[in-house]
Amino acid sequence: QVQLAQSGAEVRKPGASVKVSCKASGYTFTNYYINWVRQAPGQGLEWMGIINSAGGSTTYAQRFQGRINMTRDTSTSTVYMDLSSLTHDDTAVYYCARVLVRGLARFDYWGQGTPVIVSS
Amino acid sequence: QSVLTQPPSASGSPGQSVTISCSGGASNIEGETVNWYQQLPGTAPQLLIYSNDQRPSGVPDRFSGSKSGNSASLAISGLQSDDEATYYCAAWDDTWNGPLFGGGTKLTLL
């Protein structure tokens, strides 16, 4: 069955970086794009960006440009999301979610979420 | 960045029906397909409706979606206690060049 397994919770200080992983299984990894979506405490869903699992090309939401980097490792079917220059406002649960076609908001499988706490 | 507008809350009694609205504009809902997600407390969102009115395998037919112009709706009939959740609409936005989510509607059973 399709699974997106994310890495565990992280605690960082302001100004630090965090790297979250998302390991895919149960489907052909390179056939799907992976998105990252975050949810601050008590808030809604916010799209951060997308990576083409086959070619590795990325598109980031403008507000994260310059401090986000998404990469993938096809040998392990894993996608990574690196977010730098963290502030308290980056405290959130970070989800990966797959989509078959870029240009659709149809995320059919989601990871379980990775809590990231930014605290001094 | 939430230009898809949903009511923050909705409620209904068990067995009743409820409809949740989602309004957008020409660059998103009007020209793109709408998807709906259900997020139970403490869990990841799950795809509930895709392509405006299609249900993934396993989603009961109590859930239905529709779209007209720059608005979409999610209807839930025969409300059950485990329908208590937050519901999000989502659509690609051609201007934003990414998917947009609505602010979410928290459904409470009375």
Side-chain angles (χ1 to χ4, degrees), chain B residues 24-90:
Chain B
S27 62
N28 42 73
I29 290 179
E30 191 169 328
E32 304 290 342
T33 58
V34 178
N35 309 273
W36 290 90
Y37 297 89
Q38 178 192 60
Q39 186 175 33
L40 299 169
T43 69
Q46 287 187 297
L47 183 64
L48 191 65
I49 297 288
Y50 68 94
S51 297
N52 304 326
D53 56 9
Q54 302 297 301
R55 285 185 305 276
S57 173
V59 173
D61 60 5
R62 301 187 297 106
F63 295 90
S64 62
S66 63
K67 188 188 96 165
S68 178
N70 61 12
S71 294
S73 295
L74 172 70
I76 310 172
S77 62
L79 282 171
Q80 301 177 0
S81 58
D82 55 4
D83 296 335
E84 278 205 329
T86 300
Y87 295 85
Y88 294 91
C89 60

Short mmCIF file of all heavy atoms in Angstrom, two decimals, chain B residues 24-90:
data_model
loop_
_atom_site.label_atom_id
_atom_site.label_comp_id
_atom_site.label_asym_id
_atom_site.label_seq_id
_atom_site.Cartn_x
_atom_site.Cartn_y
_atom_site.Cartn_z
N GLY B 24 -13.94 31.43 -4.60
CA GLY B 24 -12.64 31.86 -5.09
C GLY B 24 -12.79 32.86 -6.22
O GLY B 24 -13.63 33.75 -6.15
N GLY B 25 -11.96 32.67 -7.25
CA GLY B 25 -12.00 33.62 -8.35
C GLY B 25 -11.63 32.98 -9.67
O GLY B 25 -11.55 31.76 -9.80
N ALA B 26 -11.38 33.85 -10.66
CA ALA B 26 -11.13 33.38 -12.01
C ALA B 26 -9.84 32.60 -12.14
O ALA B 26 -9.72 31.71 -13.01
CB ALA B 26 -11.12 34.57 -12.97
N SER B 27 -8.87 32.90 -11.31
CA SER B 27 -7.56 32.24 -11.44
C SER B 27 -7.50 30.91 -10.72
O SER B 27 -6.51 30.18 -10.84
CB SER B 27 -6.45 33.15 -10.92
OG SER B 27 -6.62 33.43 -9.55
N ASN B 28 -8.53 30.59 -9.98
CA ASN B 28 -8.49 29.32 -9.25
C ASN B 28 -9.76 28.49 -9.52
O ASN B 28 -9.82 27.77 -10.50
CB ASN B 28 -8.22 29.53 -7.77
CG ASN B 28 -8.98 30.70 -7.17
OD1 ASN B 28 -10.19 30.64 -6.98
ND2 ASN B 28 -8.27 31.79 -6.88
N ILE B 29 -10.76 28.63 -8.70
CA ILE B 29 -11.92 27.75 -8.80
C ILE B 29 -12.57 27.80 -10.17
O ILE B 29 -12.93 26.77 -10.75
CB ILE B 29 -12.94 28.06 -7.69
CG1 ILE B 29 -12.38 27.63 -6.34
CG2 ILE B 29 -14.27 27.34 -7.96
CD1 ILE B 29 -13.30 27.91 -5.15
N GLU B 30 -12.73 29.01 -10.72
CA GLU B 30 -13.47 29.13 -11.97
C GLU B 30 -12.83 28.35 -13.11
O GLU B 30 -13.50 27.77 -13.94
CB GLU B 30 -13.61 30.60 -12.37
CG GLU B 30 -14.59 30.83 -13.52
CD GLU B 30 -14.91 32.31 -13.72
OE1 GLU B 30 -14.91 33.06 -12.73
OE2 GLU B 30 -15.16 32.69 -14.87
N GLY B 31 -11.50 28.32 -13.14
CA GLY B 31 -10.83 27.66 -14.24
C GLY B 31 -10.17 26.34 -13.90
O GLY B 31 -9.59 25.68 -14.78
N GLU B 32 -10.25 25.93 -12.64
CA GLU B 32 -9.56 24.72 -12.20
C GLU B 32 -10.54 23.79 -11.48
O GLU B 32 -11.66 24.18 -11.15
CB GLU B 32 -8.41 25.08 -11.26
CG GLU B 32 -7.40 26.06 -11.84
CD GLU B 32 -6.56 25.47 -12.95
OE1 GLU B 32 -6.50 24.22 -13.04
OE2 GLU B 32 -5.96 26.24 -13.73
N THR B 33 -10.08 22.59 -11.21
CA THR B 33 -10.91 21.65 -10.47
C THR B 33 -10.71 21.85 -8.97
O THR B 33 -9.64 22.30 -8.53
CB THR B 33 -10.60 20.19 -10.83
OG1 THR B 33 -9.21 19.94 -10.58
CG2 THR B 33 -10.89 19.92 -12.30
N VAL B 34 -11.74 21.54 -8.21
CA VAL B 34 -11.74 21.74 -6.77
C VAL B 34 -11.64 20.39 -6.06
O VAL B 34 -12.25 19.40 -6.49
CB VAL B 34 -13.01 22.48 -6.32
CG1 VAL B 34 -13.03 22.64 -4.80
CG2 VAL B 34 -13.07 23.86 -6.99
N ASN B 35 -10.88 20.39 -4.99
CA ASN B 35 -10.72 19.20 -4.17
C ASN B 35 -11.07 19.53 -2.72
O ASN B 35 -10.93 20.69 -2.30
CB ASN B 35 -9.27 18.71 -4.24
CG ASN B 35 -8.79 18.57 -5.67
OD1 ASN B 35 -8.96 17.53 -6.30
ND2 ASN B 35 -8.18 19.62 -6.21
N TRP B 36 -11.51 18.54 -2.01
CA TRP B 36 -11.87 18.73 -0.61
C TRP B 36 -11.10 17.72 0.26
O TRP B 36 -10.92 16.56 -0.13
CB TRP B 36 -13.37 18.52 -0.41
CG TRP B 36 -14.21 19.60 -1.01
CD1 TRP B 36 -14.73 19.65 -2.27
CD2 TRP B 36 -14.66 20.79 -0.35
NE1 TRP B 36 -15.45 20.80 -2.45
CE2 TRP B 36 -15.44 21.52 -1.29
CE3 TRP B 36 -14.50 21.32 0.94
CZ2 TRP B 36 -16.04 22.75 -0.98
CZ3 TRP B 36 -15.10 22.53 1.24
CH2 TRP B 36 -15.86 23.24 0.29
N TYR B 37 -10.70 18.19 1.42
CA TYR B 37 -9.96 17.37 2.36
C TYR B 37 -10.67 17.38 3.70
O TYR B 37 -11.22 18.40 4.13
CB TYR B 37 -8.52 17.90 2.52
CG TYR B 37 -7.75 17.81 1.24
CD1 TYR B 37 -7.78 18.86 0.33
CD2 TYR B 37 -7.04 16.66 0.92
CE1 TYR B 37 -7.10 18.76 -0.89
CE2 TYR B 37 -6.36 16.57 -0.29
CZ TYR B 37 -6.41 17.62 -1.18
OH TYR B 37 -5.74 17.52 -2.39
N GLN B 38 -10.60 16.24 4.37
CA GLN B 38 -11.11 16.09 5.73
C GLN B 38 -9.92 15.90 6.65
O GLN B 38 -9.06 15.06 6.41
CB GLN B 38 -12.03 14.87 5.82
CG GLN B 38 -12.58 14.61 7.21
CD GLN B 38 -13.24 13.24 7.32
OE1 GLN B 38 -12.63 12.20 7.11
NE2 GLN B 38 -14.52 13.24 7.67
N GLN B 39 -9.87 16.70 7.70
CA GLN B 39 -8.81 16.55 8.68
C GLN B 39 -9.42 16.27 10.04
O GLN B 39 -10.01 17.17 10.66
CB GLN B 39 -7.89 17.77 8.74
CG GLN B 39 -6.69 17.56 9.64
CD GLN B 39 -5.71 18.72 9.62
OE1 GLN B 39 -6.09 19.87 9.48
NE2 GLN B 39 -4.44 18.42 9.77
N LEU B 40 -9.28 15.04 10.49
CA LEU B 40 -9.72 14.68 11.84
C LEU B 40 -8.71 15.23 12.84
O LEU B 40 -7.53 15.39 12.51
CB LEU B 40 -9.84 13.17 11.96
CG LEU B 40 -10.86 12.53 10.99
CD1 LEU B 40 -10.72 11.02 11.00
CD2 LEU B 40 -12.27 12.93 11.37
N PRO B 41 -9.13 15.52 14.05
CA PRO B 41 -8.21 16.10 15.04
C PRO B 41 -6.94 15.27 15.22
O PRO B 41 -6.99 14.06 15.39
CB PRO B 41 -9.05 16.10 16.32
CG PRO B 41 -10.46 16.17 15.84
CD PRO B 41 -10.50 15.37 14.58
N GLY B 42 -5.80 15.97 15.12
CA GLY B 42 -4.53 15.32 15.37
C GLY B 42 -4.02 14.43 14.27
O GLY B 42 -3.05 13.69 14.45
N THR B 43 -4.66 14.47 13.10
CA THR B 43 -4.23 13.61 12.00
C THR B 43 -3.96 14.43 10.75
O THR B 43 -4.28 15.62 10.67
CB THR B 43 -5.28 12.55 11.67
OG1 THR B 43 -6.43 13.19 11.10
CG2 THR B 43 -5.71 11.78 12.91
N ALA B 44 -3.34 13.78 9.76
CA ALA B 44 -3.08 14.43 8.48
C ALA B 44 -4.38 14.57 7.68
O ALA B 44 -5.31 13.77 7.85
CB ALA B 44 -2.06 13.62 7.69
N PRO B 45 -4.45 15.56 6.82
CA PRO B 45 -5.64 15.67 5.94
C PRO B 45 -5.75 14.44 5.05
O PRO B 45 -4.77 13.77 4.75
CB PRO B 45 -5.32 16.91 5.10
CG PRO B 45 -4.32 17.68 5.90
CD PRO B 45 -3.51 16.66 6.62
N GLN B 46 -7.00 14.16 4.65
CA GLN B 46 -7.26 13.05 3.73
C GLN B 46 -8.11 13.58 2.59
O GLN B 46 -9.04 14.37 2.81
CB GLN B 46 -8.03 11.94 4.44
CG GLN B 46 -7.20 11.12 5.41
CD GLN B 46 -7.98 9.94 5.94
OE1 GLN B 46 -8.99 10.12 6.61
NE2 GLN B 46 -7.54 8.74 5.62
N LEU B 47 -7.80 13.11 1.38
CA LEU B 47 -8.58 13.51 0.22
C LEU B 47 -9.99 12.96 0.32
O LEU B 47 -10.19 11.75 0.49
CB LEU B 47 -7.90 12.99 -1.05
CG LEU B 47 -8.54 13.38 -2.38
CD1 LEU B 47 -8.51 14.89 -2.60
CD2 LEU B 47 -7.85 12.66 -3.54
N LEU B 48 -10.98 13.85 0.19
CA LEU B 48 -12.37 13.47 0.35
C LEU B 48 -13.13 13.53 -0.98
O LEU B 48 -13.95 12.66 -1.29
CB LEU B 48 -13.03 14.42 1.35
CG LEU B 48 -14.40 14.09 1.88
CD1 LEU B 48 -14.39 12.82 2.71
CD2 LEU B 48 -14.94 15.27 2.71
N ILE B 49 -12.87 14.60 -1.73
CA ILE B 49 -13.48 14.81 -3.04
C ILE B 49 -12.40 15.35 -3.97
O ILE B 49 -11.64 16.24 -3.56
CB ILE B 49 -14.64 15.82 -2.98
CG1 ILE B 49 -15.78 15.32 -2.10
CG2 ILE B 49 -15.14 16.17 -4.39
CD1 ILE B 49 -16.61 14.19 -2.70
N TYR B 50 -12.33 14.87 -5.19
CA TYR B 50 -11.40 15.42 -6.17
C TYR B 50 -12.14 15.74 -7.47
O TYR B 50 -13.25 15.24 -7.69
CB TYR B 50 -10.22 14.48 -6.41
CG TYR B 50 -10.57 13.18 -7.11
CD1 TYR B 50 -10.47 13.05 -8.49
CD2 TYR B 50 -11.00 12.08 -6.38
CE1 TYR B 50 -10.80 11.87 -9.13
CE2 TYR B 50 -11.33 10.88 -7.00
CZ TYR B 50 -11.22 10.79 -8.37
OH TYR B 50 -11.54 9.61 -8.99
N SER B 51 -11.52 16.56 -8.28
CA SER B 51 -12.12 16.95 -9.57
C SER B 51 -13.57 17.38 -9.41
O SER B 51 -14.45 16.97 -10.15
CB SER B 51 -12.03 15.79 -10.57
OG SER B 51 -10.68 15.48 -10.86
N ASN B 52 -13.81 18.22 -8.44
CA ASN B 52 -15.11 18.85 -8.15
C ASN B 52 -16.12 17.93 -7.48
O ASN B 52 -16.79 18.33 -6.53
CB ASN B 52 -15.76 19.41 -9.43
CG ASN B 52 -14.88 20.39 -10.16
OD1 ASN B 52 -14.13 21.14 -9.53
ND2 ASN B 52 -14.96 20.39 -11.48
N ASP B 53 -16.27 16.70 -8.01
CA ASP B 53 -17.38 15.89 -7.55
C ASP B 53 -17.08 14.39 -7.51
O ASP B 53 -18.01 13.57 -7.42
CB ASP B 53 -18.61 16.12 -8.44
CG ASP B 53 -18.33 15.86 -9.92
OD1 ASP B 53 -17.25 15.32 -10.24
OD2 ASP B 53 -19.19 16.20 -10.75
N GLN B 54 -15.80 14.02 -7.56
CA GLN B 54 -15.44 12.61 -7.57
C GLN B 54 -14.99 12.15 -6.19
O GLN B 54 -14.25 12.87 -5.50
CB GLN B 54 -14.31 12.36 -8.59
CG GLN B 54 -14.67 12.77 -10.00
CD GLN B 54 -15.84 11.96 -10.53
OE1 GLN B 54 -15.80 10.74 -10.61
NE2 GLN B 54 -16.91 12.67 -10.91
N ARG B 55 -15.42 10.96 -5.81
CA ARG B 55 -15.02 10.41 -4.52
C ARG B 55 -13.95 9.36 -4.69
O ARG B 55 -14.12 8.42 -5.49
CB ARG B 55 -16.23 9.78 -3.81
CG ARG B 55 -17.22 10.74 -3.21
CD ARG B 55 -18.30 9.96 -2.44
NE ARG B 55 -18.95 8.96 -3.26
CZ ARG B 55 -19.95 9.21 -4.08
NH1 ARG B 55 -20.43 10.44 -4.18
NH2 ARG B 55 -20.48 8.24 -4.81
N PRO B 56 -12.87 9.45 -3.93
CA PRO B 56 -11.88 8.37 -3.94
C PRO B 56 -12.52 7.09 -3.41
O PRO B 56 -13.51 7.13 -2.67
CB PRO B 56 -10.78 8.87 -3.00
CG PRO B 56 -10.98 10.35 -2.91
CD PRO B 56 -12.44 10.57 -3.08
N SER B 57 -11.92 5.98 -3.76
CA SER B 57 -12.40 4.71 -3.26
C SER B 57 -12.41 4.72 -1.73
O SER B 57 -11.46 5.18 -1.09
CB SER B 57 -11.46 3.60 -3.76
OG SER B 57 -11.79 2.36 -3.17
N GLY B 58 -13.53 4.26 -1.17
CA GLY B 58 -13.63 4.18 0.28
C GLY B 58 -14.37 5.35 0.92
O GLY B 58 -14.75 5.27 2.10
N VAL B 59 -14.58 6.43 0.19
CA VAL B 59 -15.32 7.57 0.74
C VAL B 59 -16.82 7.32 0.53
O VAL B 59 -17.26 7.07 -0.60
CB VAL B 59 -14.90 8.88 0.05
CG1 VAL B 59 -15.80 10.04 0.51
CG2 VAL B 59 -13.44 9.20 0.36
N PRO B 60 -17.59 7.37 1.61
CA PRO B 60 -19.04 7.08 1.49
C PRO B 60 -19.74 8.09 0.59
O PRO B 60 -19.33 9.25 0.48
CB PRO B 60 -19.53 7.23 2.94
CG PRO B 60 -18.33 7.17 3.80
CD PRO B 60 -17.18 7.66 2.99
N ASP B 61 -20.83 7.65 -0.03
CA ASP B 61 -21.57 8.54 -0.92
C ASP B 61 -22.40 9.57 -0.16
O ASP B 61 -23.13 10.35 -0.76
CB ASP B 61 -22.44 7.75 -1.89
CG ASP B 61 -23.47 6.87 -1.20
OD1 ASP B 61 -23.58 6.96 0.05
OD2 ASP B 61 -24.13 6.07 -1.89
N ARG B 62 -22.27 9.59 1.16
CA ARG B 62 -22.88 10.69 1.95
C ARG B 62 -22.16 12.00 1.67
O ARG B 62 -22.69 13.08 1.96
CB ARG B 62 -22.78 10.38 3.45
CG ARG B 62 -23.45 9.12 3.89
CD ARG B 62 -23.45 8.99 5.41
NE ARG B 62 -22.12 8.90 5.99
CZ ARG B 62 -21.52 9.90 6.64
NH1 ARG B 62 -22.12 11.06 6.81
NH2 ARG B 62 -20.32 9.71 7.16
N PHE B 63 -20.95 11.89 1.14
CA PHE B 63 -20.16 13.08 0.82
C PHE B 63 -20.27 13.36 -0.69
O PHE B 63 -20.07 12.46 -1.51
CB PHE B 63 -18.69 12.87 1.18
CG PHE B 63 -18.44 12.71 2.65
CD1 PHE B 63 -18.46 11.45 3.24
CD2 PHE B 63 -18.19 13.81 3.46
CE1 PHE B 63 -18.22 11.28 4.59
CE2 PHE B 63 -17.96 13.66 4.83
CZ PHE B 63 -17.97 12.39 5.39
N SER B 64 -20.60 14.59 -1.03
CA SER B 64 -20.69 14.95 -2.44
C SER B 64 -20.18 16.37 -2.64
O SER B 64 -20.25 17.20 -1.74
CB SER B 64 -22.13 14.83 -2.95
OG SER B 64 -22.98 15.73 -2.26
N GLY B 65 -19.64 16.61 -3.83
CA GLY B 65 -19.10 17.92 -4.15
C GLY B 65 -19.70 18.46 -5.43
O GLY B 65 -20.17 17.70 -6.28
N SER B 66 -19.70 19.78 -5.52
CA SER B 66 -20.19 20.43 -6.74
C SER B 66 -19.44 21.73 -6.94
O SER B 66 -18.80 22.25 -6.01
CB SER B 66 -21.71 20.68 -6.64
OG SER B 66 -21.98 21.58 -5.58
N LYS B 67 -19.50 22.24 -8.16
CA LYS B 67 -18.85 23.51 -8.47
C LYS B 67 -19.71 24.26 -9.48
O LYS B 67 -20.30 23.67 -10.39
CB LYS B 67 -17.47 23.26 -9.08
CG LYS B 67 -16.64 24.53 -9.27
CD LYS B 67 -15.36 24.27 -10.04
CE LYS B 67 -15.53 24.57 -11.51
NZ LYS B 67 -14.23 24.66 -12.23
N SER B 68 -19.77 25.57 -9.29
CA SER B 68 -20.47 26.43 -10.23
C SER B 68 -19.76 27.76 -10.26
O SER B 68 -19.66 28.44 -9.23
CB SER B 68 -21.94 26.61 -9.82
OG SER B 68 -22.59 27.49 -10.71
N GLY B 69 -19.28 28.12 -11.42
CA GLY B 69 -18.57 29.39 -11.55
C GLY B 69 -17.34 29.44 -10.67
O GLY B 69 -16.48 28.55 -10.75
N ASN B 70 -17.25 30.44 -9.82
CA ASN B 70 -16.09 30.56 -8.95
C ASN B 70 -16.38 30.11 -7.52
O ASN B 70 -15.71 30.54 -6.57
CB ASN B 70 -15.54 31.99 -8.97
CG ASN B 70 -16.55 33.00 -8.47
OD1 ASN B 70 -17.59 32.63 -7.91
ND2 ASN B 70 -16.26 34.28 -8.66
N SER B 71 -17.38 29.24 -7.37
CA SER B 71 -17.70 28.69 -6.05
C SER B 71 -17.85 27.18 -6.12
O SER B 71 -18.20 26.62 -7.16
CB SER B 71 -18.99 29.30 -5.51
OG SER B 71 -18.83 30.68 -5.26
N ALA B 72 -17.59 26.56 -4.98
CA ALA B 72 -17.77 25.11 -4.86
C ALA B 72 -18.43 24.81 -3.53
O ALA B 72 -18.43 25.65 -2.61
CB ALA B 72 -16.41 24.40 -4.94
N SER B 73 -19.00 23.62 -3.44
CA SER B 73 -19.67 23.22 -2.21
C SER B 73 -19.40 21.76 -1.89
O SER B 73 -19.25 20.93 -2.80
CB SER B 73 -21.19 23.41 -2.32
OG SER B 73 -21.52 24.77 -2.45
N LEU B 74 -19.34 21.48 -0.61
CA LEU B 74 -19.25 20.11 -0.10
C LEU B 74 -20.52 19.86 0.69
O LEU B 74 -20.84 20.63 1.60
CB LEU B 74 -18.03 19.95 0.79
CG LEU B 74 -17.91 18.62 1.55
CD1 LEU B 74 -17.60 17.49 0.58
CD2 LEU B 74 -16.84 18.71 2.64
N ALA B 75 -21.22 18.81 0.33
CA ALA B 75 -22.44 18.44 1.06
C ALA B 75 -22.22 17.13 1.78
O ALA B 75 -21.63 16.19 1.23
CB ALA B 75 -23.62 18.32 0.09
N ILE B 76 -22.67 17.09 3.02
CA ILE B 76 -22.58 15.87 3.82
C ILE B 76 -23.99 15.55 4.30
O ILE B 76 -24.63 16.38 4.96
CB ILE B 76 -21.65 16.04 5.03
CG1 ILE B 76 -20.30 16.64 4.62
CG2 ILE B 76 -21.43 14.70 5.73
CD1 ILE B 76 -19.40 17.02 5.79
N SER B 77 -24.46 14.37 3.96
CA SER B 77 -25.79 13.95 4.40
C SER B 77 -25.67 12.89 5.48
O SER B 77 -24.61 12.26 5.63
CB SER B 77 -26.60 13.42 3.22
OG SER B 77 -25.98 12.28 2.67
N GLY B 78 -26.74 12.69 6.23
CA GLY B 78 -26.74 11.67 7.27
C GLY B 78 -25.57 11.82 8.23
O GLY B 78 -24.83 10.87 8.47
N LEU B 79 -25.42 13.02 8.80
CA LEU B 79 -24.27 13.31 9.65
C LEU B 79 -24.06 12.26 10.73
O LEU B 79 -25.02 11.78 11.37
CB LEU B 79 -24.44 14.68 10.30
CG LEU B 79 -24.14 15.90 9.43
CD1 LEU B 79 -24.55 17.18 10.13
CD2 LEU B 79 -22.67 15.94 9.04
N GLN B 80 -22.78 11.92 10.91
CA GLN B 80 -22.40 10.96 11.94
C GLN B 80 -21.35 11.60 12.84
O GLN B 80 -20.66 12.55 12.44
CB GLN B 80 -21.84 9.69 11.29
CG GLN B 80 -22.82 8.98 10.37
CD GLN B 80 -22.21 7.77 9.70
OE1 GLN B 80 -21.05 7.42 9.90
NE2 GLN B 80 -23.02 7.10 8.87
N SER B 81 -21.20 11.04 14.01
CA SER B 81 -20.27 11.64 14.99
C SER B 81 -18.85 11.70 14.46
O SER B 81 -18.11 12.66 14.74
CB SER B 81 -20.30 10.84 16.29
OG SER B 81 -19.97 9.49 16.06
N ASP B 82 -18.45 10.71 13.67
CA ASP B 82 -17.06 10.74 13.18
C ASP B 82 -16.89 11.66 11.97
O ASP B 82 -15.81 11.67 11.37
CB ASP B 82 -16.51 9.34 12.89
CG ASP B 82 -17.38 8.55 11.95
OD1 ASP B 82 -18.38 9.11 11.44
OD2 ASP B 82 -17.06 7.38 11.71
N ASP B 83 -17.91 12.41 11.63
CA ASP B 83 -17.76 13.46 10.61
C ASP B 83 -17.23 14.75 11.23
O ASP B 83 -16.91 15.69 10.50
CB ASP B 83 -19.09 13.76 9.91
CG ASP B 83 -19.62 12.58 9.11
OD1 ASP B 83 -18.80 11.72 8.69
OD2 ASP B 83 -20.85 12.51 8.91
N GLU B 84 -17.17 14.78 12.57
CA GLU B 84 -16.61 15.98 13.22
C GLU B 84 -15.14 16.11 12.83
O GLU B 84 -14.31 15.26 13.18
CB GLU B 84 -16.75 15.89 14.75
CG GLU B 84 -18.10 16.29 15.27
CD GLU B 84 -18.05 16.77 16.72
OE1 GLU B 84 -17.16 16.29 17.48
OE2 GLU B 84 -18.85 17.64 17.08
N ALA B 85 -14.86 17.17 12.13
CA ALA B 85 -13.54 17.36 11.55
C ALA B 85 -13.48 18.76 10.97
O ALA B 85 -14.48 19.49 10.98
CB ALA B 85 -13.28 16.33 10.44
N THR B 86 -12.31 19.12 10.48
CA THR B 86 -12.17 20.36 9.73
C THR B 86 -12.06 20.02 8.25
O THR B 86 -11.32 19.10 7.88
CB THR B 86 -10.94 21.16 10.19
OG1 THR B 86 -11.09 21.47 11.59
CG2 THR B 86 -10.82 22.47 9.42
N TYR B 87 -12.79 20.74 7.43
CA TYR B 87 -12.84 20.48 6.00
C TYR B 87 -12.21 21.64 5.23
O TYR B 87 -12.51 22.80 5.50
CB TYR B 87 -14.29 20.26 5.56
CG TYR B 87 -14.88 19.02 6.18
CD1 TYR B 87 -15.45 19.04 7.45
CD2 TYR B 87 -14.85 17.80 5.50
CE1 TYR B 87 -15.96 17.88 8.03
CE2 TYR B 87 -15.36 16.64 6.07
CZ TYR B 87 -15.91 16.70 7.34
OH TYR B 87 -16.41 15.55 7.91
N TYR B 88 -11.33 21.28 4.31
CA TYR B 88 -10.62 22.28 3.51
C TYR B 88 -10.92 22.08 2.03
O TYR B 88 -10.89 20.94 1.53
CB TYR B 88 -9.11 22.16 3.69
CG TYR B 88 -8.60 22.47 5.08
CD1 TYR B 88 -8.47 21.48 6.04
CD2 TYR B 88 -8.24 23.78 5.43
CE1 TYR B 88 -7.99 21.77 7.31
CE2 TYR B 88 -7.78 24.08 6.69
CZ TYR B 88 -7.66 23.07 7.62
OH TYR B 88 -7.19 23.37 8.89
N CYS B 89 -11.17 23.18 1.33
CA CYS B 89 -11.21 23.12 -0.13
C CYS B 89 -9.82 23.51 -0.65
O CYS B 89 -9.04 24.15 0.05
CB CYS B 89 -12.28 24.03 -0.71
SG CYS B 89 -12.09 25.79 -0.31
N ALA B 90 -9.53 23.09 -1.87
CA ALA B 90 -8.23 23.40 -2.46
C ALA B 90 -8.38 23.42 -3.98
O ALA B 90 -9.11 22.61 -4.56
CB ALA B 90 -7.18 22.39 -2.05
#
